[in-house]
Amino acid sequence: MKYTLFLTIICFLTLNACQSKKEEPQKPNILFILADDFGYHDMSVMGSEFYETPNIDRIANEGMIFTDGYAACQVCSPSRASIMSGKFPARHGITDWIGAKTGEDWRKQGRHNKLLPPEYVHNLPHEYTTLPEAMKEVGYKTFFAGKWHIGGKGSWPEDHGFDINKGGWDVGSPKGGYFAPWENPNLESGPDGQNLSMRLAKETVEFIKNNKDTSFFAYLSFYAVHGPIQTTKEKWAKYRQIAHENGIAETGFEMGHFLPIRQVQDNPVYAGLVEAMDDAVGEVLNSLDEMGLDENTIVIFTSDNGGVAAGDAFATSNHPLRAGKGYQFEGGIREPYFIKMPGMQGGQKNSTPVTGTDFYPTLLELAGADLRPEEHVDGVSLVPLLNGGSIDERPLIWHYPHYGNQGGRPSSIIREGKWKLIHYYENGREELYNLETDIEETRNLADENPELAAGLSKKLFAMLNEMGARYPEKDPEYNPEQEKEYLERIVNQRWPQLEKQRMRFLSEDFNPGNNWWGSM
């Protein structure tokens, strides 16, 4: 009798435990896709009539497009650190791409600028609880593939919460190029000619297959579409034809403050690189479908800064947004920002200004975890927006006290509502734009709205000083005549060279040599 009662109790407890386990909903999986240097209009879904991106478009069309989505900085390392930490660059201290020169070393660039950029932090601080560390604490298996560039050895992805690291290390460009063999201590080179973006996608798929029965956080951080831009002969030929069908503009550039800025999307090499990345995105999305995981996986797609319109490879145009990577204008900081949730109605658009620091609290809430406001201090959860509601209006700020390789100037920015104020450190000048009526930032309204401009400026510097921001200093060796001579060389030599290169990429007999960058 006692034995029978004992068995009955055991069966009852076991049944209850099984039912509880069955009833407990599985945490959603997370696939976070980060492109490098990918512009706001570098996709069909965002209006490009040149690039073809059906797989990235799918994420946007099945999720929510944040039309006013921003990176936390106009260059890579700061914005990447902000995604990981939930903090603005002025607070975490990584204010330039890691490797950029500062102080008197800046003179070695030979640009003869007015200011000396300040020092910055060179590794993602270990005292932070990063987004992947927070996800691990609530039961997620974590995976990283691709570009890291927010710390050297000892501060790689595996040192900040990722269980697996495939390809993340010190540098920000694909050493050795986009076709194997490449040079990466954390990603064994594939067979000759293997595409790097597709390899990173396949590594991500392998991780998902091995962890499909648990909750996973997969962070696919492409090196694409960072320079050097490379593609296959077949993709180049496809986009060369599209460019000619669209009509070739007589000129492709306009002169900016320091460098010519591309005004048209017609670079067939870059377009092929974009398509290769999109193919890789498709590889992962299709694998999620095949494994039956798409209905329980959150998918995010974004970029770390604007498309490269000047400097680097001068690859794309962000028009009608002004300028691009490295710049204080919308082309430098406004990004593709798509979030797809299981069960949500696709094709939604939301115009609330949001930024890279918001991913941390958003993903915690979607995972059913407690928020960590002491960590993601500069981010807010976007779950109310994803559910059709609203969030409180707040100021967003950017702090880039450096000269960008792409021609941007040392500046800080604040956006509140429709208003955007830019403060320039060279001369203290401020520009005020109404982004509702002037997305191209052509009309400076600071003189017409002095009280508004002054109020935004005061708020900007109160926030910067509270965060411990560092500022540039005047170079005592500055010589305006030397700077003038440098800029004249850019206009008279560099600009014509760029126009010539543009036409060479579009010529019928273009051949980069080296078997099309090793792809053949």
Side-chain angles (χ1 to χ4, degrees), residues 111-404:
R111 288 175 48 176
H112 309 288
N113 298 126
K114 293 179 181 179
L115 302 178
L116 297 176
E119 187 51 80
Y120 55 88
V121 175
H122 284 245
N123 294 284
L124 183 62
H126 284 280
E127 60 266 28
Y128 297 164
T129 300
T130 63
L131 172 58
E133 287 171 336
M135 299 309 292
K136 276 173 66 79
E137 288 183 14
V138 293
Y140 278 78
K141 186 75 174 174
T142 58
F143 169 87
F144 183 92
K147 173 174 172 173
W148 180 243
H149 203 190
I150 43 179
K153 193 166 185 179
S155 193
W156 283 350
E158 59 267 39
D159 303 305
H160 291 282
F162 287 104
D163 296 316
I164 300 170
N165 170 28
K166 295 290 185 178
W169 66 304
D170 310 31
V171 303
S173 61
K175 289 199 74 174
Y178 283 100
F179 300 98
W182 49 72
E183 304 168 32
N184 190 314
N186 294 326
L187 186 69
E188 183 180 349
S189 193
D192 287 0
Q194 183 181 41
N195 180 272
L196 176 59
S197 297
M198 186 58 74
R199 169 64 177 278
L200 295 173
K202 289 185 178 296
E203 294 283 357
T204 305
V205 169
E206 184 66 19
F207 164 78
I208 291 172
K209 283 181 179 177
N210 293 336
N211 294 276
K212 60 184 174 63
D213 296 324
T214 187
S215 299
F216 60 78
F217 174 58
Y219 197 97
L220 174 53
S221 175
F222 288 110
Y223 281 93
V225 289
H226 193 288
I229 58 171
Q230 299 172 347
T231 191
T232 63
K233 184 176 182 180
E234 292 73 21
K235 282 183 171 21
W236 163 81
K238 169 184 173 178
Y239 285 100
R240 176 188 175 273
Q241 181 177 342
I242 292 173
H244 279 273
E245 289 173 354
N246 288 346
I248 305 300
E250 187 175 334
T251 60
F253 297 85
E254 289 182 0
M255 190 63 198
H257 186 80
F258 288 121
L259 285 171
I261 301 174
R262 180 179 274 269
Q263 301 297 309
V264 292
Q265 292 184 346
D266 64 2
N267 186 327
V269 177
Y270 178 74
L273 179 58
V274 168
E275 185 179 280
M277 180 178 69
D278 186 76
D279 291 341
V281 170
E283 178 79 7
V284 184
L285 295 181
N286 292 337
S287 295
L288 287 174
D289 293 345
E290 291 163 9
M291 288 183 272
L293 297 174
D294 55 307
E295 291 302 317
N296 192 41
T297 301
I298 298 161
V299 182
I300 288 173
F301 182 87
T302 192
S303 178
D304 61 351
N305 48 248
V308 183
D312 301 340
F314 293 84
T316 193
S317 168
N318 300 294
H319 186 77
L321 302 185
R322 186 173 173 184
K325 176 184 178 179
Y327 282 83
Q328 60 277 10
F329 302 113
E330 292 295 283
I333 56 176
R334 193 180 290 214
E335 315 306 322
Y337 197 115
F338 312 145
I339 300 178
K340 174 190 170 187
M341 287 194 317
M344 79 184 303
Q345 181 182 350
Q348 300 181 64
K349 291 186 178 182
N350 191 295
S351 61
T352 305
V354 297
T355 189
T357 57
D358 297 331
F359 290 119
Y360 192 150
T362 300
L363 290 175
L364 284 183
E365 184 166 353
L366 289 175
D370 292 335
L371 299 187
R372 307 173 82 114
E374 73 286 355
E375 289 292 342
H376 49 76
V377 62
D378 297 315
V380 301
S381 172
L382 305 181
V383 170
L385 299 177
L386 293 168
N387 289 330
S390 61
I391 59 175
D392 292 338
E393 186 173 279
R394 61 191 165 136
L396 300 179
I397 69 165
W398 294 260
H399 182 58
Y400 189 61
H402 308 275
Y403 289 100

Side-chain angles (χ1 to χ4, degrees), residues 9-23:
I9 292 170
I10 291 296
C11 290
F12 177 76
L13 292 174
T14 303
L15 180 62
N16 273 358
C18 290
Q19 287 177 337
S20 297
K21 188 173 182 182
K22 185 177 180 182
E23 290 169 3

